[in-house]
Structure formats: C-alpha cells, structure tokens
Amino acid sequence: MEITVEKIAMIREDFNPKNTNLNLDIDWSVEYMNTDQRNINYNIVLKSGEYLNLNFKLEGLVILGDLEEFNHNECSQMIFHHACTILMNMISLTRQTEYDLINEGISSTVNFGTAF
C-alpha cells in the first residue's frame, strides 16, 4: 500500500502560543472516495480549538497493491498518524522566532512570525 499527500492546507490564528508543552485536543475525520477501486482518494481534516484555533487538511491518494484489500480502520489510523506528524512540523515551522542582531556596536532584536 502506498499513501501519498497531494495537497496541504493549514489555517491558524495570528498569535503563536508561548507554552512549550502545547496540548492539542484534536478532532479528526477521514473521508474516502472510490473505495471500490485500486486508487482511493482521501481527505483528512484535523481541528483543534481549545489552546490553538487550527484547521488542517490533507488530500491524497491510497494506492493498493495487487493482492491488497482496503481496510478502512487500518488506513485511517496510518493517515491520521502521518497527518499529525506533518501538522506538528508545520506548527514548528510557523512559530514566532526572535533573533538578536549585532553589527558594529548597533544591537537590535528582530521578530519573525509567519503564518499560512
């Protein structure tokens, strides 16, 4: 079985949480299309609201091997695990970062905050 990701969408609030131990209470759902074929499209949506208002979506494709059958529960767990890994990496990429710049006696602090 091969699971691919074709599209990623992430919508998050403007602020960045300052807590280093972010506890996300995530609701998730997976929707499958064409489950009677060898190539199955999927959409997974992860939503978090209490600590970080966030909506995250992956669209992709499950490609079954010649003798494989589609197992909804097993496939959903693998897609969920992969989506959570991507989500945590994207949260890390979009966090606010501070840099201290020192150039010939001039010192300043630059804040970089990015959002998707």
Side-chain angles (χ1 to χ4, degrees):
M1 178 185 307
E2 181 180 342
I3 299 175
T4 66
V5 175
E6 296 177 0
K7 292 183 183 179
I8 298 175
M10 183 168 132
I11 301 169
R12 62 181 286 189
E13 290 186 357
D14 291 336
F15 79 94
N16 291 299
K18 300 297 182 192
N19 186 353
T20 58
N21 295 319
L22 184 60
N23 182 8
L24 296 177
D25 186 17
I26 295 179
D27 290 326
W28 63 284
S29 63
V30 181
E31 179 183 344
Y32 297 99
M33 285 72 70
N34 309 323
T35 56
D36 58 337
Q37 298 177 13
R38 305 308 299 163
N39 296 341
I40 301 165
N41 294 324
Y42 72 88
N43 293 327
I44 182 167
V45 176
L46 305 177
K47 292 182 181 181
S48 176
E50 187 175 346
Y51 298 104
L52 176 65
N53 189 10
L54 174 69
N55 289 311
F56 182 70
K57 180 179 180 180
L58 291 179
E59 294 180 13
L61 189 63
V62 176
I63 303 168
L64 299 175
D66 291 336
L67 301 176
E68 289 180 310
E69 291 187 23
F70 178 69
N71 182 319
H72 185 276
N73 290 333
E74 182 180 313
C75 194
S76 295
Q77 287 296 321
M78 286 189 289
I79 290 171
F80 173 69
H81 176 73
H82 193 61
C84 286
T85 302
I86 292 171
L87 172 63
M88 298 315 296
N89 288 336
M90 289 187 74
I91 287 174
S92 291
L93 286 172
T94 61
R95 73 181 183 274
Q96 185 171 344
T97 307
E98 239 179 60
Y99 295 96
D100 290 326
L101 303 176
I102 300 172
N103 187 11
E104 296 182 24
I106 300 171
S107 177
S108 62
T109 301
V110 177
N111 290 312
F112 290 100
T114 58
F116 284 69

